[in-house]
Amino acid sequence: MAALAGTVGLAALFPASGTSARVAGVACDLAVAVLFFLYGARLSTRETLAGLRHLRLHGLVLAATFVLFPLLGVATALLTPVPLTGQLHTGVLFLCLAPSTVQSSVALTGAAGGNVPAAICAGTYSSLAGLVITPLLAAWLLGSHTALSADGLLRIGLQLLAPFLLGQLLRPWLGGPLSRHKRVLTPVDRGSILLVVYTAFSAAVSQGIWGLATPLALLGLLAVLLALLAAALAATGLGARLLGLDRSATIAAVLCGSQKSLANGLPMATVLFGAQAGLLVLPLMLYHQLQLIVGTVLAGRWSRAPTAAAPGPVPAALTGPDAPPAPG
């Protein structure tokens, strides 16, 4: 959180421009490719296939991520009491199209006493599906805001999917060393994300982001994001009950189905939106912080609840007192 805030501040004070902006853009493209290569090299195909037995849970998470969220995103244009600027609303829509996360949902599921293996697989399937579904939904719902064309699809394939598949092919040789040196690779993961943030916000500052993101617009954005999170938590909790999931699977479904991936979403935004990505990724960055805060509160409450009891009503938890191996 502190590193993200510091990177945004650095971009605000010292934005890359001219030659430095071109260098930062090339470095950003390379960092994204390395990031997805490492995702592929770390992902165990055998464990991923073994997790298919939780079909109801995975179906619920995918439906929440790629059906419920896009519908909620479209609804924000009609239901938001404080109108958002065009770019902020486009950013909210993109947030709703991004895949679920693995790191935070798995950590929170474990802390809450939920089904961790199912959470790993659910987040992984969402991330893999997002490589295809997110760009297609963006082309459909965002239209002219994206640079998605035949060339855009080729760029997504070369920059995201090809490195991921190459990592999968090389996993038999790289999987072991990567697992043994997770701490060494953590700065690579986080550094890549921070570079994407710096490059995107540098471009946004050059385009006059502070004139568009007024205090009133930011307050409206925060209200929209809180409403999205509350609706996703309530819907996934209800869906888990209707599907008859046990307590541990319900926890995994709620935490995976309500979260969005910053690590996958930011690189996708730079590919889809190019130099326009700066302000458009602000909703995703804010939502990521909100989901961590609310998820931590929920995990704490559920961990103290009797084991036999199912998680209580999710919306009430919003007002109550109260990094693993794959993409997220």
Side-chain angles (χ1 to χ4, degrees), residues 49 57 75 87 98 104 180 212 253 258 277:
L49 294 176
L57 186 155
Q87 284 188 298
S104 59
R180 290 192 298 270
L212 298 173
S258 61

Side-chain angles (χ1 to χ4, degrees), residues 44-58:
S44 171
T45 305
R46 182 176 60 185
E47 293 177 3
T48 302
L49 294 176
L52 283 173
R53 64 181 180 273
H54 302 287
L55 290 178
R56 289 177 296 169
L57 186 155
H58 301 321

Side-chain angles (χ1 to χ4, degrees), residues 132-316:
V132 176
I133 296 176
T134 297
L136 293 178
L137 285 176
W140 180 33
L141 293 177
L142 302 181
S144 60
H145 294 284
T146 70
L148 199 61
S149 59
D151 291 339
L153 287 173
L154 179 61
R155 187 181 175 196
I156 289 172
L158 291 176
Q159 194 171 352
L160 305 182
L161 191 56
F164 178 85
L165 294 177
L166 180 60
Q168 277 280 280
L169 290 174
L170 297 180
R171 175 176 165 74
W173 298 276
L174 298 179
L178 290 176
S179 298
R180 290 192 298 270
H181 298 89
K182 289 180 182 178
R183 292 185 178 180
V184 177
L185 291 171
T186 296
V188 177
D189 287 349
R190 295 181 178 177
S192 299
I193 295 171
L194 294 178
L195 181 57
V196 170
V197 171
Y198 175 76
T199 304
F201 269 84
S202 290
V205 170
S206 300
Q207 297 161 14
I209 181 177
W210 307 122
L212 298 173
T214 63
L216 180 61
L218 290 177
L219 285 175
L221 174 62
L222 186 61
V224 168
L225 297 181
L226 285 170
L228 284 174
L229 182 56
L233 289 168
T236 49
L238 176 61
R241 290 176 182 273
L242 293 176
L243 291 173
L245 300 183
D246 61 24
R247 180 180 188 274
S248 64
T250 296
I251 290 173
V254 170
L255 291 174
C256 292
S258 61
Q259 303 223 349
K260 290 294 183 177
S261 173
L262 188 67
N264 281 1
L266 287 178
M268 288 183 180
T270 62
V271 175
L272 289 171
F273 302 114
Q276 306 297 319
L279 188 60
L280 299 179
V281 299
L282 183 61
L284 177 60
M285 293 177 63
L286 291 178
Y287 186 89
H288 185 264
Q289 312 311 317
L290 291 175
Q291 73 187 18
L292 290 179
I293 295 169
V294 175
T296 300
V297 173
L298 291 177
R301 293 187 61 174
W302 289 339
S303 67
R304 294 189 295 271
T307 303
V314 174

